[in-house]
Amino acid sequence: MTNPTDGRIDLVLVHPGGRKQVYQTLADDLTAVEPPLWCRLIADYCRTRGHRVAIIDSEADSLDPTAVALRIAALDPRLVALVVYGHQPSASTQSLPAAGAVARAVKDTAPHRPIILIGGHAAALPERTLREEAVDFVATGEGPVTVDALLRALPTDLADAIADVPGLAFWQDTEEGERVVRRSAPAPLVEDLDGALSGDAWDLLPMDKYRAHNWQCFGDMDRRMPYASIYTTLGCPYKCSFCCINAPFGKNGYRFRSPASVIAEIDLLIERYGVRTFKIVDEMFVLNERHVTAICEALIPRNEALGGTLNFWAYARVDTVKPAMLAILRRAGIRWLALGIESGSKHVRDGAKKALRSEDIVGIVRAIQEAGINVIGNYIFGLPDDDLDSMRETLDLAKELNCEFANFYSAMAYPGSPLYNQAVEKGWDLPESWSGYSQHSYDCKPLATEKLSAADVLRFRDAAFTEYFTNPRYLKMVDQRFGDATSRHIRSMTRHTLRRKLLDEDDGLQERVVG
């Protein structure tokens, strides 16, 4: 730590953003701008251990890498942490180019300033990340314990002290004069979430800059701000082949905050910042019935006192949503549940380790909607067993369900997922750059299947989006449920056309072949 009498910042945590590259024109108004969860968690963890901490949210403040580097230079920290986590599986990898650009800008202004890169992608590929990016250290785990220990080791400037920092990948000079990558022992996971990872660092964030997704406020688009995201659990016990969410934790698991701690944070956000619109970022919120019920029972009187204006959304699984829970969820202000339906083909779902029956999917979606909760259906095209017929089954199921919103993804082998390991082992064709792992980027490149090229999958995905959101049955439902203004908004949304390098090249190749 620094001397308490000097005013130097110990740690600057940077959320690098890169939303425009990730989402193209969708970033202007349709996507959410979310408070960076892991910046908050690490900031609070380090601040309560005596370190002086600042956060730069370059996404919320619309800062380019040079502007971020200038802010860092003005703060003159002992350590810069680039935090590249995400609130969905692709988010860490697709944000790496933005983090890399910030790292290079920082090194241009202060070559000797230490930088550590933290997040799901880094934890999945620590050695490669250290070799490819202009950083000095990479966290091989979730980060808080590692950053605190690194801050304590840095004043010594001794190689032995750095080697003792848990959960670290770092450069080390050998006796032969070579520079090699070393890894220290893994860092322990933080188990005391209430005491050590409460994330009480809201005062370090630009709270007036955050906004919800467009769909969360269908029917009342003026309520997208103020906005906040909270967590009640970390990790996930499931083992879906395409998911990398547990890469920083080193195992499939589930850690809980106490309901009292969660409610205290919600109260703070309501009272201090006027937030009514929330995201619960848990990978699987509706899972442990006792945990969910305790939180909802505490939220109900708060929602009633606020005239029923609380608006939460959260993730669930079809096989974890119990009809008996739905009434309490809705009374608590849970207005949206996102369900990972993935595929309309049972064969394809089984191959992705998502064994659900189509009739169960339809039944639970209808039960959720009848309880007054909106559903976001999440679908994936191009899973390993997919062909054109099975992808059509998926789109047909989506149209039958007619959820209030839908996300259509193309299958990606994200670093840290079993699917990525399989892709590397079998030599499958992967994106040429990390931005290519974004679902909406220009250079997006999904996995090919045995029967479909990557271009086939991406073309089907983009066409499916348009077919779903221009479907007269869907637009009629939106108009009836949310009003004419929302249905006009949907029509405007579908006029956004994503540019796709892969499809441009494929179309050009086909033209040359035909010619």
Side-chain angles (χ1 to χ4, degrees):
M1 282 184 294
T2 55
N3 186 313
T5 60
D6 82 43
R8 188 181 183 190
I9 289 286
D10 295 301
L11 172 68
V12 172
L13 296 145
V14 179
H15 178 223
R19 193 171 74 253
K20 190 75 173 180
Q21 182 179 8
V22 168
Y23 292 105
Q24 299 189 63
T25 59
L26 303 180
D28 295 335
D29 186 54
L30 299 175
T31 60
V33 181
E34 297 185 10
L37 172 66
W38 280 94
C39 282
R40 284 199 297 113
L41 299 188
I42 296 170
D44 178 55
Y45 186 91
C46 290
R47 192 159 63 168
T48 57
R49 283 155 181 76
H51 304 295
R52 292 190 178 92
V53 182
I55 296 175
I56 297 175
D57 188 344
S58 66
E59 180 168 273
D61 284 331
S62 300
L63 303 175
D64 65 22
T66 300
V68 174
L70 291 174
R71 281 199 185 183
I72 291 171
L75 292 168
D76 191 26
R78 295 193 299 117
L79 178 65
V80 174
L82 301 178
V83 184
V84 194
Y85 271 98
H87 300 310
Q88 39 95 355
S90 66
S92 183
T93 294
Q94 71 191 23
S95 298
L96 202 66
V102 170
R104 292 188 296 274
V106 170
K107 289 296 188 181
D108 285 344
T109 60
H112 301 295
R113 193 182 304 284
I115 302 174
I116 182 171
L117 204 152
I118 307 166
H121 178 100
L125 301 175
E127 290 90 350
R128 180 171 175 180
T129 301
L130 192 60
R131 290 189 171 96
E132 291 181 349
E133 307 298 337
V135 300
D136 305 279
F137 309 103
V138 168
T140 61
E142 63 183 359
V145 172
T146 299
V147 173
D148 172 49
L150 182 58
L151 284 167
R152 298 177 190 282
L154 281 175
T156 65
D157 259 349
L158 295 176
D160 288 345
I162 297 298
D164 287 338
V165 173
L168 201 67
F170 57 97
W171 290 107
Q172 189 174 76
D173 295 325
T174 67
E175 293 180 358
E176 294 77 20
E178 293 184 87
R179 201 168 187 235
V180 297
V181 175
R182 301 292 192 206
R183 290 182 64 165
S184 64
L189 295 176
V190 178
E191 297 296 341
D192 177 16
L193 302 190
D194 291 347
L197 287 185
S198 70
D200 187 10
W202 296 102
D203 57 301
L204 301 180
L205 295 172
M207 291 298 293
D208 60 330
K209 302 289 181 64
Y210 299 112
R211 73 178 185 218
H213 284 286
N214 61 329
W215 49 260
Q216 188 175 357
C217 295
F218 278 0
D220 192 0
M221 299 291 281
D222 293 334
R223 299 296 297 271
R224 294 177 67 187
M225 301 170 76
Y227 172 70
S229 55
I230 63 164
Y231 87 104
T232 81
T233 62
L234 291 176
C236 180
Y238 294 99
K239 299 179 180 180
C240 299
S241 66
F242 50 80
C243 187
C244 59
I245 207 72
N246 281 317
F249 312 133
K251 62 180 181 179
N252 293 82
Y254 210 47
R255 288 171 285 164
F256 294 83
R257 292 176 73 184
S258 70
S261 174
V262 173
I263 295 300
E265 183 171 47
I266 292 170
D267 283 343
L268 180 148
L269 290 163
I270 290 172
E271 294 164 10
R272 184 181 299 175
Y273 300 105
V275 178
R276 302 288 186 274
T277 306
F278 292 85
K279 174 183 178 180
I280 298 175
V281 303
D282 302 20
E283 179 65 14
M284 200 56 57
F285 174 63
V286 184
L287 181 57
N288 182 289
E289 187 171 359
R290 179 182 297 180
H291 177 73
V292 173
T293 300
I295 291 171
C296 288
E297 285 179 343
L299 279 175
I300 287 171
R302 287 161 172 81
N303 191 30
E304 291 174 347
L306 293 169
T309 58
L310 290 181
N311 179 0
F312 286 83
W313 82 271
Y315 293 101
R317 277 175 61 112
V318 170
D319 54 359
T320 65
V321 177
K322 298 179 181 179
M325 299 173 64
L326 294 173
I328 192 174
L329 286 165
R330 182 61 187 87
R331 289 178 61 204
I334 310 294
R335 299 195 190 187
W336 291 84
L337 287 178
L339 300 178
I341 297 166
E342 322 311 359
S343 176
S345 164
K346 183 181 184 303
H347 173 68
V348 173
R349 286 196 302 270
D350 289 348
K353 305 211 181 321
K354 205 73 178 280
L356 304 167
R357 298 187 308 169
S358 293
E359 53 266 37
D360 295 333
I361 295 169
V362 174
I364 199 62
V365 167
R366 294 291 175 256
I368 294 169
Q369 292 171 324
E370 288 168 6
I373 300 173
N374 304 309
V375 178
I376 313 160
N378 291 324
Y379 307 92
I380 300 177
F381 301 113
L383 288 166
D385 293 321
D386 255 328
D387 56 22
L388 282 175
D389 289 338
S390 62
M391 292 197 303
R392 186 71 233 182
E393 281 186 71
T394 299
L395 180 53
D396 288 344
L397 175 62
K399 293 173 70 176
E400 177 189 354
L401 293 173
N402 205 34
C403 297
E404 286 78 2
F405 200 77
N407 289 316
F408 295 107
Y409 301 106
S410 46
M412 295 275 190
Y414 298 118
S417 71
L419 196 56
Y420 180 82
N421 297 334
Q422 184 182 4
V424 171
E425 180 184 339
K426 295 188 174 182
W428 293 351
D429 193 19
L430 295 172
E432 296 172 5
S433 65
W434 298 127
S435 59
Y437 284 84
S438 165
Q439 294 288 334
H440 302 94
S441 67
Y442 174 62
D443 58 346
C444 173
K445 186 176 184 180
L447 284 175
T449 74
E450 288 187 8
K451 299 179 180 178
L452 300 168
S453 70
D456 292 334
V457 173
L458 187 58
R459 183 178 288 105
F460 190 96
R461 179 266 161 212
D462 287 356
F465 176 90
T466 301
E467 183 174 335
Y468 184 89
F469 285 104
T470 59
N471 182 13
R473 178 169 173 253
Y474 173 75
L475 291 171
K476 181 179 179 180
M477 178 271 292
V478 168
D479 192 62
Q480 292 174 341
R481 189 171 181 100
F482 301 109
D484 180 66
T486 300
S487 59
R488 289 199 307 272
H489 173 81
I490 293 289
R491 289 180 173 89
S492 175
M493 181 184 75
T494 57
R495 288 195 287 270
H496 285 266
T497 302
L498 295 174
R499 296 179 59 239
R500 302 292 204 182
K501 179 181 179 183
L502 186 63
L503 300 187
D504 290 344
E505 292 174 346
D506 189 63
D507 291 342
L509 177 61
Q510 291 183 27
E511 288 175 7
R512 286 194 294 273
V513 171
V514 171

